[in-house]
Amino acid sequence: MCGIIGYLGHQLAKDILLDGLKKLEYRGYDSAGLCILNDGQFFIDKKVGPVVQLEQSVANQEIISTTGIAHTRWATHGAPSENNAHPHFDCHGQIAVVHNGIIENYQALKEVLISEGHQFQSETDSEVLAHLIEKFYTDNLETAVTKALALVEGSYGLVVLSIKENKLVAVRQSSPLIIGVGVGETFVASDIPAILNYTKQVIYLNDNDLAIIDSQGYHLQNLAGQVVDRQVEEVKLNVEQIEKKGFKHFMLKEIFEQPQTISNVLAGRVKDGQIKLSIDLDLSRLKRIIIAACGTSWHSALIGKYLLENIARIPVEVDYASEFRYRQPLVSDTDLFVAISQSGETADTLAALREAKRQGAQTIAIVNVVGSTVTREVDSGIYLHAGPEIGVASTKAFTAQVTALILLALYLRQLVGQPLDDGLLADLNQLPEIVATTLSLNNQLADLAAQFYHTDHFLYLGRGLNFPVALEGALKLKEISYIHAEGYPAAEIKHGPIALVDENMPVVFLATKNDLSDKIISNIQEIKARGGRIIAVVDQDYDHIAELADHLIRVPVVNVLLSPIVNAIPLQLLAYHIADYKGLDVDKPRNLAKSVTVE
Ligand code: AGP
């Protein structure tokens, strides 16, 4: 999504803003721009394409100023262009705005403003904000911003700069904004990496918070003008964590972090045969669990269904978050609604959560980003503690989510006095080590990728717990290599998709041992008979399909309930290496954003 950085302090604003934009590149964008208040004038530059183009454009500009705002845009309204890039301005070029989110009533507002003589330069919804603020501006920026936003419907992380006042005004409504508190300098940004080089003291703005940043520091109020008090929190991340640690891409680094991140999820939560989760809910009347999520998080939700129904024996429904609120769901206070989201900012997941809350469900979240919006709107939650996931393709968050779902299932079982399976607990404690062993397949997967990266299509097939893993493997491949890939329940292939199979079709089978192993063999034979090229993920000690598969990927033997985590690893590596062989931008694939904060 869009990235925002604002600065007011004692350093050169240009340097801070460009550095911040680069740290926000992972969010996905198509253009970038900045506006610096330089001796009573605005210095403005915008470029379509990577931040480095903006950097080169301003390189020779002597801009001594210490106040400015900047933005990376992921297009929602209006194609990528310099005109549509932020910042946007009022008619007289005296008010600059950068915005992340969607102004839902911008058309109506724009018509009124045009009828009042305002002239627009762009196709964007965001530009409406600049003209609305101009409409109400007399001599105080925060007053004009407050009056303007009273007319606005939609979501915004917004930072405003006026040519007449050396201050920034920042407002948050459904689109994250943080304040970075420095010594004699203050930052505002849409995400932590943008400011981590300068301060670890941050404030997470809440919805309706308005921050006024000036040479004295910052002042917080809400849109009703009342002073609000927000805690300054110490960021535990360091720049080192953000960097790639010697890996070629963030995605590969994050794949190799999984032994540690799974260990982080478990830390302090499995003790003396007991599960300890800080879930403060009355679940005595619990009748059903509803899980809503998007993308990879939806895949972990599907795995969660198997785990919760198998371990906790509670009925589970799984929804695409984007569909949930539109199907007229019937939710009650006997439901537990689980929102799964790495970023905690996915608009569709937030909307589903709000609908479930409105109907009285108790709510928990399984989230990675601390302080994100989802975490502030649920009754309780499980943090993944997986650290920043910079690669757009989710890997360590996925396996952390599944691990958290196992803990949740065990916790709910424990809550009703059912005994926990000691063998499963023992395997759970071994999981980081088992995943580390699985990562040693990296070179084999790189070699396999070298044989398949020219391929145009892939099928991924699995049964039971391995079906969502097949979906996840297909998503990983298509989102970073742009190769068309589909995942199916293996038995479903006979109902149409098998028509796709010929000698050019690689078919990845998740064939680790479970109670459907015999059936998966016949599915493999069906594909083999039609010339499909079989890549099979099997247990190390499983030789019975050696003669059927063209390529065997042997993973460590593990409790079947933990197999989705182990089986996902080779699929992550296969997708990574295929994309890398294709020379693609693995961390920032085309058309994608790390967090989809628009519906
Ligand atoms: C997964 O690799 C994708 N980046 C995408 O599907 C992602 O999982 C989805 O957008 C949900 O994001 P969230 O977990 O932050 O809500």
Side-chain angles (χ1 to χ4, degrees), residues 144-365:
V145 170
T146 302
K147 287 178 178 172
L149 293 179
L151 303 178
V152 169
E153 294 164 20
S155 59
Y156 40 86
L158 169 67
V159 183
V160 189
L161 175 59
S162 158
I163 210 164
K164 294 177 179 170
E165 301 176 64
N166 186 31
K167 70 170 71 164
L168 303 179
V169 172
V171 191
R172 183 225 147 110
Q173 176 62 41
S174 304
S175 196
L177 272 184
I178 57 168
I179 302 292
V181 183
V183 179
E185 56 187 8
T186 308
F187 307 77
V188 54
S190 39
D191 199 354
I192 292 171
I195 61 168
L196 206 52
N197 275 342
Y198 309 99
T199 180
K200 292 191 174 195
Q201 306 303 315
V202 300
I203 294 166
Y204 297 97
L205 293 185
N206 280 2
D207 282 351
N208 292 316
D209 282 0
L210 181 148
I212 301 155
I213 298 168
D214 58 24
S215 55
Q216 305 308 308
Y218 67 91
H219 165 77
L220 301 182
Q221 62 190 54
N222 59 26
L223 287 173
Q226 297 147 336
V227 173
V228 295
D229 181 24
R230 294 279 176 259
Q231 191 186 347
V232 179
E233 300 185 33
E234 168 93 16
V235 175
K236 297 287 180 277
L237 310 177
N238 57 47
V239 176
E240 164 69 15
Q241 266 192 315
I242 302 285
E243 295 313 320
K244 298 174 190 170
K245 284 188 179 160
F247 286 94
K248 187 174 180 182
H249 296 101
F250 282 116
M251 182 179 174
L252 191 59
K253 167 176 168 276
E254 287 149 11
I255 290 171
F256 275 83
E257 280 179 349
Q258 290 177 109
Q260 182 55 55
T261 50
I262 288 167
S263 181
N264 294 351
V265 182
L266 297 172
R269 294 169 167 164
V270 186
K271 264 190 184 152
D272 309 327
Q274 294 294 302
I275 305 297
K276 300 186 182 315
L277 292 177
S278 52
I279 288 178
D280 177 20
L281 295 173
D282 169 15
L283 298 174
S284 55
R285 300 173 57 239
L286 176 61
K287 288 205 171 62
R288 177 181 62 169
I289 296 173
I290 301 170
I291 315 178
C294 301
T296 285
S297 298
W298 181 72
H299 297 153
S300 55
L302 290 175
I303 295 169
K305 173 180 172 66
Y306 283 89
L307 296 169
L308 287 158
E309 290 186 344
N310 180 295
I311 297 171
R313 310 303 295 155
I314 300 171
V316 179
E317 285 178 22
V318 175
D319 274 275
Y320 275 116
S322 55
E323 292 292 308
F324 177 72
R325 62 198 180 284
Y326 298 117
R327 67 172 175 82
Q328 314 304 327
L330 296 173
V331 179
S332 79
D333 60 5
T334 62
D335 288 321
L336 175 63
F337 181 90
V338 182
I340 301 180
S341 175
Q342 187 286 130
S343 63
E345 300 297 348
T346 300
D348 286 321
T349 306
L350 265 171
L353 166 62
R354 288 166 182 164
E355 175 58 20
K357 278 177 74 172
R358 187 185 67 81
Q359 294 196 39
Q362 294 188 87
T363 60
I364 63 173

Side-chain angles (χ1 to χ4, degrees), residues 477-548:
L477 185 68
K478 60 187 141 188
E479 69 175 323
I480 63 173
S481 73
Y482 317 148
I483 292 173
H484 171 241
E486 293 188 68
Y488 281 103
E492 186 60 22
I493 200 78
K494 300 188 292 294
H495 303 281
I498 200 165
L500 294 170
V501 176
D502 62 14
E503 64 287 350
N504 302 314
M505 178 64 82
V507 182
V508 179
F509 272 96
L510 282 304
T512 48
K513 260 180 293 194
N514 61 28
D515 52 4
L516 297 165
S517 297
D518 293 346
K519 302 216 182 285
I520 204 100
I521 291 172
S522 49
N523 297 146
I524 292 176
Q525 286 163 335
E526 288 153 12
I527 299 293
K528 189 90 185 154
R530 287 150 181 90
R533 302 160 68 188
I534 309 288
I535 300 168
V537 178
V538 297
D539 302 286
Q540 268 157 358
D541 63 354
Y542 214 30
D543 285 332
H544 68 288
I545 56 171
E547 68 282 2
L548 281 176

